[in-house]
Amino acid sequence: MDVLRLATLLPELPRERTRLLDNLGRVRREVGPITMELSDALADHMNIRRGEVHEVVSFYSFLQVPTDAVRVCTGPVCDCFGARELLASTPGAIEVACLGHCDLAPAMTRGDEIVPQVTHATNDGPAVGLGAGDITLAEYEARGGVSLLREPPSLERVVDELKASGLTGYGGAGFPTGLKWEAVAREPGPRYVIVNADEGEPGTIKDRYVMELRPHLMVEATVLAMRVLGATEGWVYLREEYATARARLQQAIGEFRSAGLLDGLSLELVVGAGAYIAGEETAMLESMEGRRAMPRLKPPFPSQVGYLGRPTLIQNVETLAHIPAILRNGGEWWSALGTREAKGTRLWSVTGAVAKPGCHEAPNGITTRELVDEHAGGFTAEVGCVVPGGAASGILPPSALDAPLTRDGLQEYGAGPGSAGVQVFPASYSPLRLLAETMRFFAEESCQKCTPCRIGNRALHHVAEELEHGRPAMTREKVDEWLLAMEKTSICGLGQASPFPVRGAMQHWPELFEPLEAAVS
């Protein structure tokens, strides 16, 4: 029966290899979970080897899940707040590593419905202004929006203002934005623009807030990038779990198109299928080109050889959201918004043991204690440990609450601000449990391409779980060997950064790792 339903759908599906993920997603939504029969039929329609389509289907976890499935997140914050009990008490529920709604922990979805329902409560910061969302393009334009598209600034001015602002990539890598735009502009056309909206690291929810509350702001910045860089084609690669953001973006893009603001341009959504690794920029390119989301070796970088081998600007959602304010008010203005010699503001995802979990715009250079007390309603329990910037940024003790959330401020703790996903865990939640759940996430989300990451994250997850029960799984020397091998030889940031939580836990809670010293190999 599924194949019969597919037969009526197939004539509508494009045959280009780059549309494979889109086609699979549509088949899943309109026909059902992707079975071998459905996969083979789609492969034949698109003239792709059946085995290659099977590879893609097996790689993305959600393609074989019904669209109305109940999913329970068991990421670290959700685990801390009772996700295992929720999973056990919900018949037929599927366990997933992260749903991107850590502010609602423990988070659960029924199809596209979020349980509990999202209620936004956030501040109206000076640059992104989440506190006053835009429902329509008319509302956005009444607040000064789209003026940059009416009279686009020159490339030279954009690059100069971005450099003066000090804005860096807010996806976690921190590469200077002005230099990235300049690098893409130097390459011969055609060029492409891609928005990385696939944030999937536990504790990181800021891009979701932008897309749900201020989608027009992000679309304006994207269209501006396309016009300034001479790119006629652009895409937004959006994680599958963000159903509300998907609807808001589709509405906003449609409004821009109807208003003539996309004349001569193509801007489309590409919806992922449940793979955290697709947030790595080169893995995302592989996914968009119809393959498994496995990172490429760099160099060359996407600014030189990106989508379909052409120069490509890949920018994180939040990074783009700051650009209109920078260009309207000047790079120096934005830079001065920071504190303690840091530049600008950013959106902080604050979750865990705080009174008002959510996304808050605050200066760079702020401390965790200031962030929670001034924006997130204060702490709700004695603090046991803190994650300063997403799962890969490190696990820190309560003494880090007063350290500035900058690279320099967190240097002594062996951590960094990462994606600004601040997670606060109560003293009742063991650092070893947090480490075990963090490493479980990395082990499950590894693309399996390189051996150090594939085996290393599994091994470190096993070590943390065994230590919870007082059983050393390997020697400290062997653990250190694994950490070094992963950092130095993994292909992408997942394997290179996942040792940070382990190193942080060993540095700040050495007594928990004493059994490793006595272990015999």
Side-chain angles (χ1 to χ4, degrees):
M1 183 62 70
D2 287 347
V3 175
L4 292 177
R5 287 204 298 269
L6 178 63
T8 64
L9 177 63
L10 280 178
E12 302 177 22
L13 300 181
R15 297 175 183 270
E16 297 88 353
R17 177 65 182 257
T18 55
R19 302 299 297 275
L20 176 58
L21 188 60
D22 285 335
N23 286 348
L24 286 167
R26 188 172 174 187
V27 171
R28 173 180 174 257
R29 289 189 296 272
E30 298 184 24
V31 179
I34 307 299
T35 62
M36 183 173 294
E37 291 76 16
L38 293 176
S39 175
D40 286 346
L42 182 60
D44 295 345
H45 170 75
M46 299 183 69
N47 196 27
I48 303 173
R49 286 180 55 250
R50 290 181 173 186
E52 293 181 39
V53 177
H54 288 316
E55 287 180 349
V56 173
V57 171
S58 65
F59 185 88
Y60 296 95
S61 59
F62 291 163
L63 289 177
Q64 299 175 73
V65 174
T67 55
D68 60 351
V70 175
R71 292 178 275 182
V72 173
C73 175
T74 57
V77 174
C78 289
D79 177 70
C80 178
F81 284 84
R84 299 290 171 186
E85 292 79 3
L86 178 61
L87 181 65
S89 63
T90 308
I94 298 170
E95 177 183 353
V96 296
C98 180
L99 285 173
H101 289 76
C102 314
D103 47 335
L104 305 176
M108 180 172 73
T109 61
R110 290 191 181 96
D112 286 342
E113 176 193 1
I114 303 297
V115 184
Q117 186 175 357
V118 174
T119 55
H120 292 107
T122 186
N123 64 323
D124 195 11
V128 179
L130 293 177
D134 306 302
I135 302 300
T136 66
L137 178 59
E139 290 180 9
Y140 179 62
E141 192 162 10
R143 296 173 57 191
V146 306
S147 60
L148 292 168
L149 300 183
R150 304 294 187 195
E151 298 181 18
S154 67
L155 171 66
E156 292 73 16
R157 186 192 159 221
V158 172
V159 170
D160 287 345
E161 295 292 0
L162 290 177
K163 287 183 176 180
S165 72
L167 178 68
T168 60
Y170 277 163
F175 189 82
T177 305
L179 291 179
K180 180 180 281 191
W181 285 48
E182 190 175 51
V184 174
R186 280 199 302 262
E187 299 295 326
R191 308 180 191 92
Y192 299 124
V193 171
I194 298 174
V195 182
N196 187 342
D198 195 60
E199 66 175 356
E201 192 161 286
T204 307
I205 55 176
K206 58 192 177 60
D207 290 352
R208 193 194 91 222
Y209 270 71
V210 172
M211 292 183 287
E212 291 181 355
L213 294 175
R214 305 226 56 198
H216 304 89
L217 177 67
M218 191 206 85
V219 174
E220 179 184 14
T222 305
V223 176
L224 176 68
M226 295 172 68
R227 296 210 181 277
V228 168
L229 294 172
T232 59
E233 296 180 80
W235 295 267
V236 180
Y237 190 103
L238 178 67
R239 69 179 296 189
E240 188 270 350
E241 298 90 331
Y242 284 178
T244 303
R246 181 165 69 244
R248 297 287 285 121
L249 284 176
Q250 287 171 334
Q251 174 190 328
I253 293 172
E255 289 176 304
F256 271 69
R257 187 175 290 115
S258 297
L261 296 170
L262 287 178
D263 287 353
L265 304 179
S266 169
L267 180 60
E268 304 292 340
L269 287 183
V270 176
V271 180
Y276 163 67
I277 192 60
E280 197 279 336
E281 59 182 8
T282 62
M284 183 174 62
L285 295 174
E286 289 289 302
S287 179
M288 291 178 63
E289 292 178 7
R291 294 182 289 274
R292 293 173 292 175
M294 289 187 166
R296 302 171 181 174
L297 289 171
K298 294 184 287 189
F301 296 95
S303 59
Q304 303 164 304
V305 181
Y307 184 60
L308 300 178
R310 302 307 308 163
T312 305
L313 175 73
I314 301 177
Q315 208 75 81
N316 159 265
V317 169
E318 187 201 344
T319 309
L320 286 167
H322 285 275
I323 291 176
I326 289 172
L327 296 179
R328 291 188 183 104
N329 299 294
E332 295 293 343
W333 166 84
W334 190 86
S335 177
L337 296 175
T339 187
R340 295 186 179 93
E341 301 183 355
K343 296 181 178 182
T345 70
R346 73 182 303 172
L347 301 177
W348 303 90
S349 309
V350 188
T351 58
V354 300
K356 296 179 180 178
C359 181
H360 307 278
E361 185 174 354
N364 279 308
I366 198 170
T367 68
T368 302
R369 190 183 304 278
E370 292 168 344
L371 182 62
V372 173
D373 286 343
E374 297 171 14
H375 298 278
F379 300 99
T380 58
E382 178 187 355
V383 178
C385 48
V386 179
V387 174
S393 64
I395 299 175
L396 310 184
S399 60
L401 292 172
D402 296 306
L405 290 167
T406 62
R407 292 181 187 274
D408 290 340
L410 295 172
Q411 186 174 14
E412 67 174 292
Y413 291 96
S419 60
V422 177
Q423 302 162 73
V424 179
F425 292 89
S428 59
Y429 195 70
S430 164
L432 273 179
R433 177 68 178 270
L434 172 57
L435 179 61
E437 294 306 311
T438 300
M439 300 316 294
R440 180 199 303 276
F441 171 81
F442 288 125
E444 291 181 358
E445 294 297 335
S446 169
C447 76
Q448 313 293 310
K449 183 175 184 178
C450 60
T451 301
C453 180
R454 180 177 68 249
I455 299 179
N457 280 304
R458 290 288 178 197
L460 294 172
H461 169 229
H462 179 64
V463 167
E465 280 205 324
E466 290 297 288
L467 283 174
E468 277 193 272
H469 300 94
R471 300 191 295 262
M474 64 176 69
T475 65
R476 173 61 185 266
E477 180 181 16
K478 184 62 67 175
V479 170
D480 288 339
E481 284 181 9
W482 270 112
L483 294 173
L484 183 62
M486 292 170 68
E487 290 172 347
K488 299 298 184 182
T489 63
S490 293
I491 291 175
C492 81
L494 192 155
Q496 295 163 8
S498 55
F500 278 87
V502 182
R503 292 197 185 281
M506 291 195 300
Q507 176 184 348
H508 304 299
W509 292 274
E511 69 280 2
L512 298 178
F513 296 86
E514 287 178 358
L516 298 180
E517 305 291 350
V520 178
S521 59

